[in-house]
Every structure is written in structure tokens, then in C-alpha cells.
Amino acid sequence: MKRILLIIFAFLLSLTLTGCSLQDLMGKKQKSQSTSQQKQVIAVALNEQDPNKALVLRGIEDMAQKENMDVKVLSSGSEGGGQLSSGSEGQTSKGSSSSGSSSGSQSQGQSSSGSKQGSSSDLKGAKVLIYQGGNPEILQTVQSSNIPVVALNELPGGVKPAGIILPDPQEKGKLMAEPVLSKASEGQIVVMQGDPSDSSSQEMLASIKQALSKNSKLTVHAISSPSGSEVAAGQSLTDFLQKNSGKVPAIIAQNEKLAVQAAEVLKSQQLEKKVLLIGGQANLQSLQRMSTGIQAADIDTSPYIQGVNAFQWAQKILNKSALDINESVTGDQGEVPAKIIPVKSVTPENAAVVQKSYAKAAETAAKAETQAKKDQGTSGSNDPKGQGSQDQGQSKGQDQGSSSGQSQSQGQSGSTGANIPQGAQKVTEKVQTIITREYLDSQGKVLGTEKSTSEQNRTIPPEMLKKEMQQQSQQGQQSKQGQEGQKDQTESQSKKS
């Protein structure tokens, strides 16, 4: 016992002589731990028009949370700029609603953080970029900053990525051709091709042609459409159907935007029940078309798995680990290592199961976004219509009496705009977004119109509903107090006069 006491005394004496304290040691240890626990950052730029953007992002964020890494989402603004949204614990804090699986709703989900658009500050701290689309200026920045890029779905122009993750284009083509072979005996098959300069689009078309060559009575007519020219492709389809009336048994659309155009054309020609429509990018909207008989088949490209694999490759690049390459893709910058994601056919027999899976994944993504927005509101940052406005409404209530209730009601952040009925245990929201794009010539004449409609179903978590009900109750009490204060003040003034 005496020996132990002597050792402790000698240790404390040494600390005194060296001017060091236990607090200093603990502080240094904490500082060292803080430095060692600093999270790595991965930047993500996704295509706002991808109907499955939310599911891709969910795969990335789930892996980031698991690996204790941060994700910075660069979302394109209306002017094409990249707005920065930084995540915490693998979660991405966003501005307004984004992440259903519909492209229209997703384009609304852009961060309002106010970052500089298209500047190098967007990528500050990021060590690797997962790029699917968005502001092309970001690619120039990463190239000058030597930040490696993991591409998604297709190769970006002007830069050679470290690797690319994409659904199997050859298998997609084969699977899209199968329903045609089984249901069409002869005629001209229209293939609405994506960007003809994209290598995966070329592979799909070649695979479709090879599969359909099994029936010599089937011929293929391809309508190519570079990105942004889907409306023109729809018009070309209309013209072809009119010139070849009764000779087209099926239409194959390589992506969702082309499938939407094809569906609209078939409806306008009253051919939706006579001509098979096969899509190449399953999503909630295309699966809904299948359930109503407008579309005959689709391809499940596993968007969530795409996100998971993109993150894994980004992490391997950060750790300088070997990539699990199973293919390569040739682009304008040469051969690029590729990870091919398996795809599967969606038919009426399994459509309900696939639709349920997509809907569940979309709901999970929406809940995660709701939680991120809730956390952001709790922190009180960048909340011009949130707590600050609520406090302002409460202050007015004390001075203005009955008008305070209106000010406070308008100041609620994320409210539904109406009182929550008693007994409510669950709230579901249905958001419909309609986007209309017009193409004009130099004289302002409208050459074509592109219209897309998307829907998103969301469920507000019970804990968030409970919090809103509590806020509503508190505001009612504060309004009542404000009215009583105004009444007392009025009576006091009356007595004085």
C-alpha cells in the first residue's frame, strides 16, 4: 500500500515540476481523438431529371452513415449552378422537399444554403466526387484540383473518371427485346434510343437488334435523341406511326423520359392498347403505367444498389484500395474501369412486388429527408420561416392581442397550413409536380412542348406529428395570453381616461 502511495506521489510531483496538469493531458488526448475522428468527405452530383435519384442518393447516404463519413450534395440550381449541401453523420441536409422518386419532386429538393454556384468552394473538403449529372463546371473544378471522379450511368464529357458504375447495358437490351419476341410476330419495332454518343446506349441498341434478329420478320427502326431532345423524338415517333399505320407492334424506350414521350404519343393516337411499350428504367411512374396496362414491361436497374456501389468505389479510391472491376467502358478519354450492376426484367407477373419495393424505398428516403429537415430546424440554422418567424409571431401576440394567432400560425416551420385534428395518429402527403417546357425558334414560335407529371407520396413520422401538435397547443395558449394581455391593457387605459 505504501509503495502504491509513493508511486502516485512521484507521478504528481513530476507533473508539478514539468508544469503539466491532468487537465492538460486530458485536453491533449481529447484533441488527438478529435483529429483522428475527423470524417472524410465525399461530394455527390446527381442528375435532377433521374426519376430514381432519391434511391441512388439513399444508397450513398446509408453507406456513408455506416462508415461514419460525410456527404456533400451538389444540386443544380435553375441556372445550372451547384449548390452545396453538407451532411452530418452520413446524412445530407437539404432545403425543400427532394427525395421522392419522381424527377419533378426531386428537382424541388435543392438546397438553399446559399453557396456560390459552380465555384471551387462547393468541393471544399471533398476528396472524391460521385458524378451523375448537374453543373458541368464542377468537372472543370475537379480536374484542376485533381479530385478523382466516380461516374454513374454514363461517362461525363471532358474528364476521365477513375471508374464508372452502370446497369448492364447488354442485358438491358436483351431483356427489353424478350417481350417483343414473345408477343410480336412481324412488323417494324421502334427503338427510342438515348444519346447516340453514349457507349452504353449504343450497346443497348446493338443488343436489342441482335436479340430481335431471331425473328427475320421483325425489323428495327431507331429514333435517337441526345439529352434534351426527347420532345423532338416524340414528334418523330408520331410521324413514323402515321406513315406506318398498323405496322408497328411494339416500341422500346431506353429511358424513362423517352418512355413518357412514347406513352403520350400512343395515347394521342389511341394505340396504347394495341402497341406494346417496353421501358428501360423502372420507377414508380413507369410501374404505375404497367398497372394500368399502358406499358407492357420494364427493366429494374437497382438504383439503390447503384448508389451503394458508387460509394464503395469512392471509399476505395480514398483508401487507395483496389477496385472490384468486372468490365471497362470506352469513352473519349480512353478506357475507363467499370462496375456493371445486374438488371432484371419487370413484367406484369412481378410488377406488383417490384412496385412495392420501389415505393418502400422511396418512403424510406422521404422519411430520412424529413428527419434531416427536422434536425436542421432544431439547430436553428438558415431557417427564415422557422423558429425565428415563430418567435416574431409570439412577440406580436403580446402587443396586438387577437392578431397574434395569425402571426404565429404563419410562422410555423413545416406545418400543413391547417390545425391538426384531434386523434390524428398518422399524416400522409401527396405531392404532384407538373413541369412544362416549351421549345421556341428565334421568332418566338413554339416548336414543341414537353410536359411531365410526377407524384410523390410521403408519410410524416408519428414523433414529428406529435411535436407539431405540441407546438400548435403551445401557440394556442400564447395567443390566449396575448389576448388577455391586450384586454387588461385596454381596461387599464379606460380607467385612466
Side-chain angles (χ1 to χ4, degrees):
M1 184 67 181
K2 291 182 179 180
R3 185 175 180 181
I4 295 174
L5 291 173
L6 286 172
I7 292 173
I8 295 173
F9 176 76
F11 174 69
L12 294 174
L13 181 62
S14 67
L15 292 178
T16 304
L17 293 174
T18 58
C20 182
S21 66
L22 287 173
Q23 289 182 345
D24 292 332
L25 290 175
M26 292 175 66
K28 289 179 180 179
K29 183 177 181 182
Q30 290 174 352
K31 184 177 180 180
S32 175
Q33 289 177 345
S34 176
T35 303
S36 64
Q37 293 177 357
Q38 187 174 5
K39 296 178 182 179
Q40 292 178 307
V41 179
I42 292 177
V44 179
L46 299 181
N47 181 5
E48 298 290 344
Q49 300 302 316
D50 184 351
N52 292 319
K53 172 194 166 188
L55 304 188
V56 174
L57 183 58
R58 185 80 256 132
I60 295 171
E61 289 181 331
D62 283 353
M63 290 299 298
Q65 186 174 20
K66 180 180 178 182
E67 298 296 329
N68 195 31
M69 296 176 67
D70 274 355
V71 173
K72 284 188 176 181
V73 179
L74 313 177
S75 55
S76 296
S78 58
E79 298 178 3
Q83 296 181 332
L84 180 60
S85 168
S86 61
S88 174
E89 297 181 357
Q91 295 296 324
T92 306
S93 58
K94 304 175 184 63
S96 53
S97 163
S98 114
S99 261
S101 53
S102 57
S103 62
S105 296
Q106 290 159 2
S107 64
Q108 302 293 325
Q110 298 165 0
S111 168
S112 56
S113 61
S115 312
K116 293 181 180 179
Q117 294 187 353
S119 67
S120 59
S121 63
D122 290 357
L123 292 164
K124 186 176 180 181
K127 303 300 182 184
V128 64
L129 170 67
I130 297 175
Y131 186 85
Q132 183 194 30
N135 184 6
E137 293 180 9
I138 293 295
L139 295 174
Q140 300 175 7
T141 303
V142 297
Q143 198 167 28
S144 61
S145 304
N146 294 320
I147 298 175
V149 176
V150 175
L152 261 175
N153 298 132
E154 63 182 53
L155 292 172
V159 62
K160 184 176 182 179
I164 181 171
I165 308 294
L166 76 162
D168 191 337
Q170 293 183 4
E171 187 66 14
K172 280 181 68 176
K174 177 183 175 182
L175 293 177
M176 283 189 284
E178 285 182 354
V180 179
L181 288 171
S182 64
K183 296 180 180 181
S185 57
E186 61 180 0
Q188 300 190 61
I189 309 303
V190 177
V191 177
M192 300 188 73
Q193 183 187 12
D195 192 340
S197 64
D198 178 50
S199 59
S200 62
S201 176
Q202 296 170 7
E203 286 189 54
M204 264 188 282
L205 179 59
S207 181
I208 291 169
K209 287 182 176 180
Q210 183 178 3
L212 294 179
S213 65
K214 295 176 182 178
N215 184 346
S216 60
K217 293 183 179 181
L218 295 176
T219 58
V220 175
H221 175 78
I223 299 177
S224 61
S225 53
S227 181
S229 64
E230 289 82 11
V231 172
Q235 185 59 51
S236 297
L237 176 62
T238 300
D239 295 341
F240 188 82
L241 289 174
Q242 290 175 348
K243 292 177 181 178
N244 298 273
S245 179
K247 299 178 181 179
V248 178
I251 299 171
I252 298 175
Q254 288 188 351
N255 58 51
E256 171 61 11
K257 293 185 77 173
L258 291 171
V260 168
Q261 288 293 320
E264 290 181 353
V265 170
L266 291 177
K267 282 183 180 179
S268 67
Q269 301 287 321
Q270 297 182 344
L271 296 173
E272 66 271 24
K273 300 296 183 181
K274 298 178 182 179
V275 178
L276 297 174
L277 174 59
I278 294 93
Q281 188 182 16
N283 61 88
L284 286 178
Q285 284 67 50
S286 71
L287 294 170
Q288 179 62 30
R289 290 196 299 270
M290 286 188 64
S291 67
T292 57
I294 297 174
Q295 187 165 318
D298 214 326
I299 303 298
D300 181 5
T301 59
S302 302
Y304 181 87
I305 301 301
Q306 290 180 41
V308 169
N309 279 271
F311 175 88
Q312 290 175 337
W313 267 33
Q315 186 180 37
K316 288 180 179 180
I317 290 172
L318 281 174
N319 297 334
K320 302 187 184 305
S321 303
L323 301 177
D324 48 330
I325 302 168
N326 58 14
E327 191 61 79
S328 65
V329 175
T330 304
D332 55 6
Q333 303 287 328
E335 290 290 316
V336 177
K339 177 69 176 292
I340 305 300
I341 306 300
V343 297
K344 64 181 180 181
S345 179
V346 183
T347 63
E349 288 73 27
N350 67 348
V353 176
V354 176
Q355 187 174 24
K356 184 177 180 180
S357 173
Y358 270 65
K360 184 176 180 180
E363 182 181 357
T364 301
K367 285 183 178 180
E369 183 199 357
T370 301
Q371 184 62 43
K373 288 164 66 178
K374 178 182 175 183
D375 295 341
Q376 187 180 22
T378 303
S379 66
S381 61
N382 296 328
D383 190 16
K385 295 183 180 180
Q387 187 64 37
S389 299
Q390 182 176 330
D391 293 342
Q392 185 179 3
Q394 292 171 359
S395 175
K396 289 182 180 180
Q398 295 172 356
D399 298 331
Q400 299 178 5
S402 61
S403 64
S404 66
Q406 297 177 354
S407 299
Q408 290 161 355
S409 175
Q410 293 173 358
Q412 291 182 29
S413 175
S415 69
T416 60
N419 291 334
I420 301 173
Q422 290 186 355
Q425 299 296 320
K426 180 181 178 182
V427 176
T428 60
E429 297 177 343
K430 185 175 183 180
V431 181
Q432 185 179 66
T433 303
I434 300 176
I435 300 175
T436 303
R437 177 185 293 181
E438 291 185 342
Y439 296 87
L440 297 84
D441 61 13
S442 59
Q443 304 300 320
K445 181 181 178 182
V446 178
L447 301 177
T449 302
E450 179 181 350
K451 186 175 182 181
S452 61
T453 304
S454 59
E455 289 187 355
Q456 176 187 359
N457 294 314
R458 300 180 298 190
T459 301
I460 297 178
E463 61 271 13
M464 188 171 180
L465 175 62
K466 182 178 179 181
K467 184 178 179 181
E468 287 191 7
M469 294 177 71
Q470 291 174 345
Q471 290 177 347
Q472 191 171 285
S473 176
Q474 291 173 359
Q475 289 173 353
Q477 293 175 359
Q478 290 163 355
S479 175
K480 184 177 180 181
Q481 291 173 359
Q483 293 173 1
E484 291 176 351
Q486 178 68 17
K487 182 179 180 181
D488 292 341
Q489 185 178 358
T490 302
E491 291 177 352
S492 176
Q493 291 175 351
S494 299
K495 290 179 179 179
K496 289 180 181 180
S497 60

